[in-house]
Amino acid sequence: KQEVTQIPAALSVPEGENLVLNCSFTDSAIYNLQWFRQDPGKGLTSLLLIQSSQREQTSGRLNASLDKSSGRSTLYIAASQPGDSATYLCAVRPGGGGTASKLTFGTGTRLQVTL
Amino acid sequence: DAGVTQSPTHLIKTRGQQVTLRCSPKSGHDTVSWYQQALGQGPQFIFQYYEEEERQRGNFPDRFSGHQFPNYSSELNVNALLLGDSALYLCASSSGQKYGYTFGSGTRLTVV
């Protein structure tokens, strides 16, 4: 059974800092990994999708890396802003056949960026 | 291009009642998945529909059922509501294994 862990559970940083969020998973047989952002009481917004064959993906100030063999992914946020305050979730999609399959989520890292 | 649309946004029901939540997938997506998210937790997979059939199911009781229509939209039904069913219900759509999931804004269900 796939288990996903995110560390830290909560993080508070001053504006402008670079930060790293961690995600680990127990079963390395994944198809891809997706990072999401969730604002309080809202749905999930996809940030980055990394296929199992890729090492990293970048979008603006965000960079996500994937080390499938060690079961780890990191989300790097450069020059953090108060608007980055949210909960960040990682989710893994299992490998194998089929046109689609379920995501297994971590419990998230709650980020607060202060002025 | 509209993303995933869920309705209603909020709902209050009494224990024992039944509820139906609705989801319209993103244009071009043919697979719909439902997730339950309790406060402070990550989303938990309920089930997934493809070609109007349930393809996968998570660890949820039979009180949770669903349906997918020919236009790919979907419904989640929950019978005999319990207080523990109070959560944010998220719908996600996708197309093919290579691409990621797109989530809706969710339906906040409160059971009193």
Side-chain angles (χ1 to χ4, degrees):
Chain A
K1 177 186 173 186
Q2 178 74 272
E3 293 183 3
V4 180
T5 303
Q6 291 188 245
I7 295 174
L11 185 62
S12 181
V13 300
E15 182 181 14
E17 273 203 8
N18 302 323
L19 55 101
V20 174
L21 308 181
N22 297 292
C23 171
S24 62
F25 46 95
T26 55
D27 185 352
S28 62
I30 66 169
Y31 193 85
N32 55 38
L33 182 147
Q34 200 165 357
W35 281 93
F36 295 91
R37 168 189 171 134
Q38 185 174 34
D39 294 296
K42 303 297 184 182
L44 307 184
T45 299
S46 180
L47 299 173
L48 290 165
L49 172 69
I50 311 177
Q51 304 297 338
S52 61
S53 59
Q54 297 176 320
R55 297 287 293 182
E56 65 179 82
Q57 281 287 331
T58 298
S59 177
R61 295 182 295 108
L62 305 179
N63 176 276
S65 67
L66 174 64
D67 185 345
K68 196 176 82 164
S69 61
S70 67
R72 295 182 180 183
S73 177
T74 61
L75 179 66
Y76 175 82
I77 303 177
S80 58
Q81 303 171 356
D84 294 331
S85 298
T87 295
Y88 291 80
L89 294 153
C90 72
V92 297
R93 186 171 189 166
T99 59
S101 52
K102 71 174 188 178
L103 295 178
T104 300
F105 283 85
T107 53
T109 294
R110 191 171 66 253
L111 172 66
Q112 183 176 15
V113 181
T114 58
L115 292 171
Chain B
D1 180 23
V4 177
T5 304
Q6 291 188 245
S7 64
T9 54
H10 297 86
L11 204 53
I12 299 175
K13 289 288 189 177
T14 304
R15 278 179 299 173
Q17 284 189 316
Q18 178 264 344
V19 68
T20 297
L21 310 182
R22 295 176 176 82
C23 172
S24 293
K26 182 178 179 179
S27 177
H29 286 185
D30 56 9
T31 302
V32 173
S33 303
W34 288 91
Y35 290 80
Q36 180 196 66
Q37 187 179 26
L39 202 61
Q41 300 297 314
Q44 297 294 313
F45 175 75
I46 302 175
F47 44 52
Q48 183 179 82
Y49 278 85
Y50 173 70
E51 292 186 341
E52 302 180 49
E53 291 189 359
E54 184 183 288
R55 293 294 293 265
Q56 277 187 286
R57 189 178 182 91
N59 189 27
F60 280 80
D62 292 344
R63 298 186 297 109
F64 289 77
S65 63
H67 189 78
Q68 186 179 34
F69 299 94
N71 67 352
Y72 307 117
S73 67
S74 177
E75 289 182 348
L76 164 65
N77 301 292
V78 187
N79 295 322
L81 284 167
L82 303 174
L83 295 179
D85 295 331
S86 296
L88 180 67
Y89 288 84
L90 296 164
C91 173
S93 70
S94 62
S95 179
Q97 194 171 12
K98 178 180 179 180
Y99 305 103
Y101 283 87
T102 301
F103 279 78
S105 298
T107 294
R108 171 68 63 186
L109 172 64
T110 302
V111 182
V112 297

